[in-house]
Amino acid sequence: TPEGAVRELVERMRFVQGDPRDARAAFDLLSKRARANLAARATRYGDASGKPIAPEAMIAPSRFTLRFEPQRYSAQIAGAYALVDVIGLHPGEQAKIPCVFEERGWRVDLALPALPPVQVRPGASPPR
């Protein structure tokens, strides 16, 4: 279910503390669009640093903080899309998480910001 995908992502993200297997488990719950965004970020990091990095390694546990402790999950489903309401214990503790049904299951469709274009100094060769 979409609620199950969001709940599972929250639980898996709690365990991402540098172990690549934990990061991969969380990464696998993301939509194709979110995974592609992280893959592009990994490629850019690898190009800039000269060190290849797996897309799931772009999931930074230090950037993942729960704003509140989820108590209830409920989904509004429209075809292959869902919006999961996550409700906390106190008033105002609410989040809406988009999901998409793809690859025979529900995936969390995190809205990650698009990467800005690579800036190239005048006279430098363009990025690949």
Side-chain angles (χ1 to χ4, degrees):
T1 65
E3 299 97 319
V6 172
R7 184 180 300 112
E8 188 67 23
L9 181 64
V10 168
E11 289 306 311
R12 290 182 185 186
M13 286 301 296
R14 291 178 198 245
F15 294 106
V16 176
Q17 300 297 327
D19 185 335
R21 292 173 298 196
D22 293 336
R24 185 67 202 194
F27 183 82
D28 289 342
L29 288 171
L30 299 178
S31 67
K32 288 180 188 177
R33 181 174 70 131
R35 291 190 316 252
N37 183 294
L38 291 172
R41 291 171 186 280
T43 298
R44 186 172 289 183
Y45 174 87
D47 290 348
S49 69
K51 300 176 192 173
I53 185 170
E56 61 268 18
M58 298 306 294
I59 298 174
S62 61
R63 294 287 199 172
F64 179 79
T65 310
L66 289 176
R67 292 190 338 238
F68 58 89
E69 191 62 39
Q71 299 296 310
R72 292 189 326 257
Y73 299 82
S74 64
Q76 300 168 5
I77 301 172
Y81 298 93
L83 193 59
V84 177
D85 285 316
V86 182
I87 309 295
L89 188 60
H90 303 289
E93 293 183 338
Q94 181 177 4
K96 294 187 181 292
I97 311 296
C99 293
V100 62
F101 190 85
E102 57 188 24
E103 299 173 354
R104 298 182 302 207
W106 286 100
R107 305 282 181 251
V108 179
D109 193 26
L110 290 182
L112 300 169
L115 283 169
V118 174
Q119 296 182 1
V120 180
R121 289 188 307 253
S125 53
R128 48 180 174 115

